[in-house]
Amino acid sequence: MNIVGIAACTAGIAHTYIAREKLVSAAEKAGHSIHIETQGTIGVQDEIPQELIDQADVAIIAADVKVGGKDRFKHIRIIEVPTEVVIKSPNKFIKKVEEVMQKGADA
């Protein structure tokens, strides 16, 4: 799969970046392409290029706050979870995303 997404937490510091790293590691381990943008106290980092969004199969929003720019993903499936889910069980979460995408069911 080609995965894009956003990570953001209440403080915009620790959980934002930990969630990003856990998602990237788990997705790559499972053989997927992934690009996660962070929205934190220092603003947007690693903004997702439009060409990656156009090629994406799914967008993951791992956030504890409202994120900006979700409208960029309107043509693909969006799966939203709290940062805690991807921090605690990133591999399990990616497997769930795979199942959802295969079945077309809700996450």
Side-chain angles (χ1 to χ4, degrees):
M1 280 187 299
N2 290 318
I3 303 168
V4 294
I6 299 171
C9 70
T10 311
I13 305 172
H15 286 130
T16 298
Y17 299 99
I18 294 169
R20 178 188 180 278
E21 292 306 313
K22 296 275 188 173
L23 276 172
V24 168
S25 178
E28 288 177 348
K29 180 180 175 183
H32 305 298
S33 170
I34 186 166
H35 186 102
I36 300 293
E37 168 181 305
T38 57
Q39 296 183 11
T41 55
I42 57 175
V44 174
Q45 289 187 299
D46 298 315
E47 187 169 355
I48 308 164
Q50 187 60 48
E51 66 186 56
L52 290 182
I53 295 170
D54 293 342
Q55 298 168 1
D57 300 304
V58 63
I60 296 171
I61 309 296
D64 305 318
V65 296
K66 184 177 178 182
V67 298
K70 279 184 11 180
D71 58 320
R72 297 175 286 171
F73 311 131
K74 61 185 170 195
H75 70 286
I76 57 176
R77 176 125 198 183
I78 298 173
I79 299 175
E80 297 187 59
V81 295
T83 57
E84 181 179 339
V85 170
V86 298
I87 290 171
K88 287 187 174 183
S89 302
N91 296 319
K92 184 177 177 182
F93 175 72
I94 291 296
K95 290 214 179 299
K96 177 69 174 173
V97 171
E98 291 170 343
E99 291 170 8
V100 165
M101 294 305 293
Q102 285 181 338
K103 295 178 185 175
D106 290 329

